[in-house]
Amino acid sequence: MTSPLRFIRGHGLVPFAALLLAAGCGQQTAPESPPTTANKEPGPTATVTRAASAPAICAYRPDYNVIPTTCSSTREPADLYQGVLNSIRSNCIVLAENPNSPTEAEKKRAWEACMKYPPVLWVEAASSPDQFDAWNAQVERIAVFFRTSNAPDVTATSFEQSLRKIRDVANGMVNSYHAPIRQVENSNRRILDTTLPDLLKAKAEAEGKPIQADLAQQRETMSEIQSVLARHQARLLTHQPAYAALVTQFETYRTNEPILLNRLKALVQQASTATLATLPNIQLELVQLSRAESLAPQQLQLEAFRLSRQLSRVHDELEEELEPHFDFIRTHNIARPKLADEPMDVLANIQAYADSRYVRTGDIVSKTLDGIRRRQTALMTLQADQATRQTIVQNTNLAASTQFLAETTARVTEVGKLPPRSTKLRLYFLAGKLQEHESILQLESVCAKAAATPWMGTGCNTLTLQFSKSRNYVNLTLPGTMRLNIASMRTAGVNATLLQEIEQHLAAGRVRAAAISHDVALRSSEDL
C-alpha cells in the first residue's frame, strides 16, 4: 500500500480544496490587491508618446516599476498591452533563471509569481473639461479591445483591474474640475457601473470561464464556499494522524503475509513427518498463530471502519453546508468537492484485504489441524498396545496442555474486565470487548474436537462455561446495552444519523457493525 502513504505524506487530506476551486472558476474570485507600488503613478522611466488632441492610453504592470509605463494617444490598446506583456515575460525569464532557483519546481514557482499580475490599461486624466469627450472615447477603445480580443493572455482579471484604474482616474478628474462635474460622474457611472459587469461577463465567457454578472455576489458566494471547504479540510486534518498510523500498520501487516504463508507451509511440512511426541507442539503453534491472525485483521477492520465513518460524517456535513450553493456550483461547472473520497477508498481496501486474509488464514489453519488430528490418530493405532499408547499420549501432551491452559485462563480473565468508558457520558465502548468474546468463540469448534486432541482438554474445560457467557454477551447483552446507550446519546444530542445507523445494523443482525458504529457515535459525544 505505498499509494496510501504517498497520499498521506505527500498530499495529506490538505490539497483537495485548491484544485477544486481552480476548475471552472479561475477568474471568479476577487483578484488580490497588488502591493502598494500599484497605486504609484508611473515613474520617470516611463516611455510616453502623446498627442495634444486626446488624453493618452497607458499600459503598465501595477506592482513592478522595473517595467516601463508606455503611453500613447494614437497607438492601439492591443499594441500597448502586448508591449508591456513582452517586457513582463522577458523580465520573468531572467528572474526564473536566477541561481537562487536551482530546481525546475522553484523556477516554475518564480515564473508563476512573476507573471501573476497582467498588464493594465487606463486613460490619463483629461487636462481640461474640453477633453472629456475625447477621454470617454479613449476609454471606449480600451473596452472594445477587451471585448473583442481572443488572445489567451488578455484576461478578465486584466480587464477588471484596468477598469478599476480608469475609475480611480475618473474620480480624480471629478475632484480636479468643478465644471462640468456631472458629465464626468455620469460617464464614470455609465462605463464602470453598467458596462463593467457585462463586459467582464462577455470576456470571461470568451475565455471559457462563465461567471455571473453580479461580481460582488459571486465573490461573496465563492468566499463562503472557500470558508466551508477550509473548515472541513481542518476537520479532516484532525483525523490524519490516526489515518497515517493505520496505513503504516496495514503496510506492515500486508508485508508480513509472505512470512506467514511460509511459516504455515513449514508447519504443514513438519506435521506431515511429525511423531506423536512432536505433533502437540505443532498444534499449539498453529492455535497461537491462528489467534494472532484472527486478532490483527479484526483490529484493522475495526479501526478502518471507525475512521471511515468519521470521514463519512465530515463529508456529509460538508454536503449539508454546501447545499445552499449547489446551484452556483452547477452554474459555474465546479466539480463537487469530495475531500474524503481517496482516504475512504483506502480504508475500504484495508477492510476488504483484512477480511479476505482472515478467511484464507483460518481455512489453512483449520485444514492443517484436521490433518494433524488424523495423523495423530493413525500414529496411535500403530503402537504395540493400549498401555503404550496411553503413556506416549500422557508424556507428549503434558507441556502443551499446561501452556494452553495458561493461555485460556488469561483470556477468560481479560474478557471479564470492564471496557473503557467515555469521558462525558460515562458509557462503555463496546467494539473491543466484542472482539475479545468473538476471539474466544472461535475456539469452540476446536474444543468440540478435543477428544482427538487430548492436550487441549484441560484448557477447553476452562472455556466451556465461557463459551456460553460469550454467546449470551454477543447475542443478548451487547445488543441490549447498545439500545440503552442509543437512548442516552440521543438525549445528549449526538447526531441522529449516527444513532440511526446503529439501529439499522441491530435490526439486520449485524452486531459487529453495530458495535463499531456505536463507538463512533460515542466518540463524537466527547465533542458536545
Side-chain angles (χ1 to χ4, degrees):
M1 285 290 293
T2 55
S3 58
L5 266 190
R6 224 171 12 247
F7 163 67
I8 275 292
R9 296 169 181 164
H11 302 283
L13 303 170
V14 178
F16 300 130
L19 293 174
L20 187 67
L21 292 177
C25 273
Q27 298 294 344
Q28 294 177 19
T29 57
E32 298 177 11
S33 299
T36 53
T37 55
N39 296 324
K40 294 182 179 181
E41 291 300 319
T45 58
T47 301
V48 180
T49 304
R50 304 184 184 278
S53 59
I57 296 176
C58 295
Y60 81 140
R61 171 168 166 162
D63 66 324
Y64 203 47
N65 285 336
V66 172
I67 305 298
T69 299
T70 303
C71 297
S72 172
S73 60
T74 57
R75 290 175 60 186
E76 290 297 323
D79 294 337
L80 296 171
Y81 188 101
Q82 189 62 44
V84 172
L85 182 63
N86 290 340
S87 297
I88 293 174
R89 284 174 173 163
S90 299
N91 205 58
C92 289
I93 290 174
V94 174
L95 292 177
E97 295 298 328
N98 191 299
N100 293 327
S101 304
T103 68
E104 290 301 320
E106 290 172 332
K107 290 178 181 179
K108 182 180 179 181
R109 285 195 295 270
W111 170 265
E112 291 174 347
C114 183
M115 293 294 294
K116 185 174 184 179
Y117 296 108
V120 171
L121 298 176
W122 85 97
V123 182
E124 285 190 327
S127 59
S128 70
D130 296 338
Q131 288 190 326
F132 285 170
D133 289 340
W135 185 86
N136 286 333
Q138 295 289 63
V139 170
E140 183 61 20
R141 289 177 66 198
I142 293 176
V144 170
F145 161 68
F146 280 108
R147 187 188 304 123
T148 59
S149 176
N150 292 322
D153 295 311
V154 181
T155 65
T157 300
S158 175
F159 189 19
E160 184 179 5
Q161 291 184 353
S162 295
L163 293 184
R164 184 181 293 119
K165 176 67 174 175
I166 292 171
R167 180 174 55 199
D168 293 340
V169 172
N171 289 336
M173 290 165 58
V174 170
N175 295 329
S176 299
Y177 299 103
H178 296 289
I181 291 177
R182 185 169 299 277
Q183 178 185 356
V184 176
E185 288 177 334
N186 290 339
S187 176
N188 187 29
R189 187 178 301 110
R190 176 179 61 80
I191 293 173
L192 299 171
D193 294 347
T194 302
T195 310
L196 172 57
D198 292 336
L199 295 180
L200 273 179
K201 181 179 180 181
K203 180 59 187 174
E205 287 177 348
E207 294 170 5
K209 302 169 183 175
I211 62 174
Q212 296 179 3
D214 188 352
L215 292 179
Q217 179 62 41
Q218 178 195 81
R219 292 192 185 109
E220 182 179 348
T221 302
M222 288 301 299
S223 177
E224 291 174 2
I225 293 175
Q226 287 175 322
S227 178
V228 169
L229 291 175
R231 285 198 304 273
H232 286 272
Q233 199 171 42
R235 292 177 192 174
L236 286 176
L237 286 176
T238 63
H239 301 295
Q240 182 167 334
Y243 176 84
L246 179 64
V247 170
T248 301
Q249 180 185 352
F250 173 71
E251 284 193 323
T252 302
Y253 175 66
R254 186 178 184 183
T255 301
N256 70 21
E257 183 173 17
I259 300 174
L260 169 70
L261 293 177
N262 288 335
R263 184 55 191 155
L264 286 172
K265 290 178 182 177
L267 289 172
V268 170
Q269 182 64 33
Q270 292 175 26
S272 66
T273 58
T275 65
L276 282 174
T278 57
L279 276 176
N281 292 330
I282 298 174
Q283 286 176 302
L284 181 60
E285 184 172 353
L286 275 170
V287 171
Q288 293 172 335
L289 190 64
S290 175
R291 184 196 176 197
E293 272 298 304
S294 68
L295 288 176
Q298 288 185 70
Q299 290 170 345
L300 280 171
Q301 286 180 300
L302 284 172
E303 183 62 14
F305 187 87
R306 183 184 70 82
L307 275 174
S308 180
R309 291 303 305 127
Q310 290 175 334
L311 297 183
S312 177
R313 183 56 192 159
V314 173
H315 172 77
D316 292 344
E317 291 173 349
L318 172 62
E319 289 285 295
E320 291 174 9
E321 291 193 40
L322 284 179
E323 186 175 0
H325 306 300
F326 280 168
D327 287 342
F328 180 89
I329 290 174
R330 282 192 294 267
T331 300
H332 293 81
N333 298 324
I334 304 176
R336 285 281 285 277
K338 298 183 182 297
L339 306 184
D341 271 16
E342 185 170 350
M344 287 179 65
D345 288 343
V346 171
L347 293 172
N349 290 337
I350 288 176
Q351 293 180 72
Y353 173 84
D355 184 64
S356 173
R357 175 164 162 181
Y358 173 77
V359 172
R360 291 197 307 272
T361 303
D363 184 59
I364 294 173
V365 170
S366 177
K367 290 179 179 178
T368 304
L369 286 173
D370 285 342
I372 288 176
R373 282 191 289 269
R374 289 194 298 271
R375 178 172 177 78
Q376 192 173 44
T377 301
L379 289 173
M380 290 175 62
T381 61
L382 294 176
Q383 302 306 317
D385 52 47
Q386 180 66 25
T388 303
R389 290 197 294 270
Q390 290 295 333
T391 301
I392 292 174
V393 169
Q394 291 172 2
N395 291 338
T396 57
N397 288 347
L398 180 60
S401 177
T402 302
Q403 187 173 349
F404 184 65
L405 175 62
E407 181 179 331
T408 55
T409 301
R411 293 173 73 172
V412 170
T413 301
E414 186 65 27
V415 81
K417 296 179 181 179
L418 291 173
R421 279 182 167 182
S422 65
T423 303
K424 290 192 175 181
L425 300 184
R426 303 301 295 164
L427 300 177
Y428 291 111
F429 291 101
L430 302 175
K433 188 57 61 178
L434 171 62
Q435 180 180 334
E436 293 175 8
H437 283 282
E438 287 184 332
S439 177
I440 286 179
L441 290 173
Q442 287 174 345
L443 289 174
E444 191 169 18
S445 61
V446 177
C447 286
K449 302 175 183 178
T453 315
W455 62 270
M456 297 182 68
T458 307
C460 286
N461 289 338
T462 303
L463 292 174
T464 300
L465 182 60
Q466 185 60 49
F467 288 147
S468 177
K469 290 181 178 179
S470 291
R471 275 197 305 274
N472 287 335
Y473 180 86
V474 173
N475 296 328
L476 300 174
T477 305
L478 186 62
T481 302
M482 284 192 281
R483 290 187 177 95
L484 291 174
N485 289 354
I486 289 172
S488 299
M489 287 189 282
R490 183 170 282 126
T491 302
V494 173
N495 182 271
T497 303
L498 295 178
L499 301 181
Q500 289 169 3
E501 184 175 293
I502 306 172
E503 292 172 330
Q504 290 169 359
H505 287 313
L506 287 174
R510 297 187 293 267
V511 179
R512 182 188 297 180
I516 296 172
S517 297
H518 168 277
D519 285 8
V520 171
L522 187 54
R523 289 183 190 280
S524 72
S525 71
E526 306 287 42
D527 299 327
L528 295 176

